[in-house]
Amino acid sequence: LTLAVCAALPLLTADPAFYLTNSAPQAIAGTAVVSVAVSFPIRVSLPVCVAIAVSYAYGAAGVIGWERTGSVMAVYFFAVQWSVSALIRNMLLRVASAVDRAREIRVAAELGSRVDRAVMDFEREQLALLHDTAASTLLMVGQGAPLPAKRIAQQARRDLQLLRGGAWRPAA
C-alpha cells in the first residue's frame, strides 16, 4: 500500500512544490520506513525501505521530473529514518536479551536457594527426630516407665544404630 501511495504521487498532487512541505504520502512512507526497520531484521527491512524510497522518488519524478528528484529531501530522510530505527531495534533486542539472561540467572538463584532451604529443613527435621527418639528412650528408662525390657532394648538398639552411623547425611 505504501509503495502504491508513493508511486501515485502524480495522481495525488499536481503542485510541483509538494515535496518542500510535509505531505500525507511522505508521512505514510516515513511511518512505513520506521515501522519496518523496527519490526524486521536488516536483511528484510533494508530492501523494503529502499523500495519505499525508490517508489517515492518515482512518484516525485512524475510530478517534478527526474532532473529535480535529487532535491527531494524526503528520499534521503528515509535513509536516516531507517538507520536510526534499525539501530533502535538492535539496541532493544540487546536489552531484551540482557533482561532475559538476568531473569534466568535470578530464577536459577531462587531455585538454588529454595533447594538449600529445603535440604536444611529436612536435615533439621531428621536431627530433631533422632534427638527426640533417643531422648524419649532415655527418659522412659530414667523415669522407670512400666515398659517391657524387650521393647526398651529394641528401641535402644535402633537409637544406637542411628548414632553409630556417624554424622547424618541427607539423601541427594
Side-chain angles (χ1 to χ4, degrees), residues 70-125:
S71 62
V72 178
M73 293 306 295
V75 174
Y76 305 108
F77 192 64
F78 296 149
V80 172
Q81 286 178 309
W82 176 82
S83 300
V84 171
S85 299
L87 181 63
I88 289 170
R89 172 187 164 77
N90 187 34
M91 290 187 317
L92 286 173
L93 291 174
R94 285 178 152 209
V95 168
S97 179
V99 167
D100 288 345
R101 281 191 308 275
R103 182 179 295 124
E104 289 170 3
I105 291 168
R106 186 199 64 188
V107 167
E110 286 176 359
L111 180 61
S113 177
R114 286 185 198 154
V115 167
D116 289 346
R117 259 194 316 271
V119 167
M120 285 175 37
D121 289 347
F122 182 74
E123 288 174 355
R124 198 174 297 121
E125 182 180 330

Side-chain angles (χ1 to χ4, degrees), residues 32-94:
V33 165
V34 170
S35 298
V36 168
V38 170
S39 301
F40 296 100
I42 291 173
R43 69 180 183 280
V44 174
S45 68
L46 181 59
V48 171
C49 293
V50 167
I52 291 171
V54 168
S55 177
Y56 192 86
Y58 174 81
V63 178
I64 61 173
W66 281 108
E67 66 281 352
R68 293 182 50 205
T69 56
S71 62
V72 178
M73 293 306 295
V75 174
Y76 305 108
F77 192 64
F78 296 149
V80 172
Q81 286 178 309
W82 176 82
S83 300
V84 171
S85 299
L87 181 63
I88 289 170
R89 172 187 164 77
N90 187 34
M91 290 187 317
L92 286 173
L93 291 174
R94 285 178 152 209

Side-chain angles (χ1 to χ4, degrees), residues 119-137 155 159 162-163 168-169:
V119 167
M120 285 175 37
D121 289 347
F122 182 74
E123 288 174 355
R124 198 174 297 121
E125 182 180 330
Q126 294 301 311
L127 292 172
L129 287 172
L130 175 61
H131 173 270
D132 292 349
T133 300
S136 65
T137 301
Q155 183 65 42
D159 294 347
L162 285 172
L163 291 170
W168 180 81
R169 286 177 178 66

